[in-house]
């Protein structure tokens, strides 16, 4: 089976829920993909395939679905795992980054000692929409001196422009498949 076929299989494993969490949003639910052993394994393999031979020091995962995927990827590439969390969840000394939402703003945090300057890091999350969350995560990683090798997502919503936004920051972006619209 070639790569596009594999990816359309994976795309079919995602459940789409209209008008969740609010009217007009189609929620792309990856729990169905995660619950399918073959689809989960293939997703993890495919996510970091271009960097399979590279030395990766840390995989950073964005709360919460990025923890599930990022933990599996970290194991796969023999890297450490770094959680990027919502404000107020991490117990030790933190660094924070504020980013804009459609209405208002949000904050993500990392432990200040989660990385050593110069470490090579791959960022992982389930989905990229506007790219606001991932952009803030990349800024945090750069602030701690990391070299961000790539940002990897299972799902791209290209109409919202997030992947393009990250590429403009000079970070290679990998997505496995896309859904049109929001
Ligand atoms: P953004 O910062 O706009 O790129 O949003 C990305 C974050 O929001 C990711 O952590 C996603 O899990 C979540 N997200 C945004 N839109 C959706 C959607 N349509 N379905 C599922 N998750 C979404």
């Amino acid at each position: 089976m070639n790569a596009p076929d594999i990816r359309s299989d994976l795309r079919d494993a995602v459940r789409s829920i209209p008008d969740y969490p609010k009217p007009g949003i189609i929620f792309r639910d990856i729990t169905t993909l995660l619950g399918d052993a073959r689809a989960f394994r293939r997703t993890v393999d495919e996510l970091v395939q271009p960097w399979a031979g590279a030395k990766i020091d840390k995989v950073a995962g964005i709360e919460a679905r990025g923890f599930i995927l990022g933990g599996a990827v970290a194991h796969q590439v023999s890297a450490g795992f770094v959680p990027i969390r919502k404000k107020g969840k991490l117990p030790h000394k933190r660094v924070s980054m504020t980013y804009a939402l459609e209405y208002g703003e949000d904050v993500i945090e990392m432990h200040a000692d989660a990385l050593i300057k110069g470490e090579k890091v791959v960022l992982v999350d389930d989905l990229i929409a506007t790219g606001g969350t991932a952009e803030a995560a990349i800024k945090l990683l750069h602030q701690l001196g990391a070299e961000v090798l790539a940002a990897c997502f299972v799902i791209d919503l290209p109409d919202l422009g997030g992947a393009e936004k990250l590429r403009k920051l000079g970070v290679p972006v990998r997505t496995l498949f896309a859904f049109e619209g929001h």
Side-chain angles (χ1 to χ4, degrees), residues 12 78 80 95:
D12 290 345
S78 300
V95 286

Side-chain angles (χ1 to χ4, degrees), residues 25-28 65 125-134 157 182:
I25 303 285
I26 305 175
F27 191 84
R28 307 299 178 176
R65 291 172 292 254
D125 201 2
D126 65 329
L127 178 147
I128 181 153
T130 65
T133 318
L157 303 186
H182 292 211

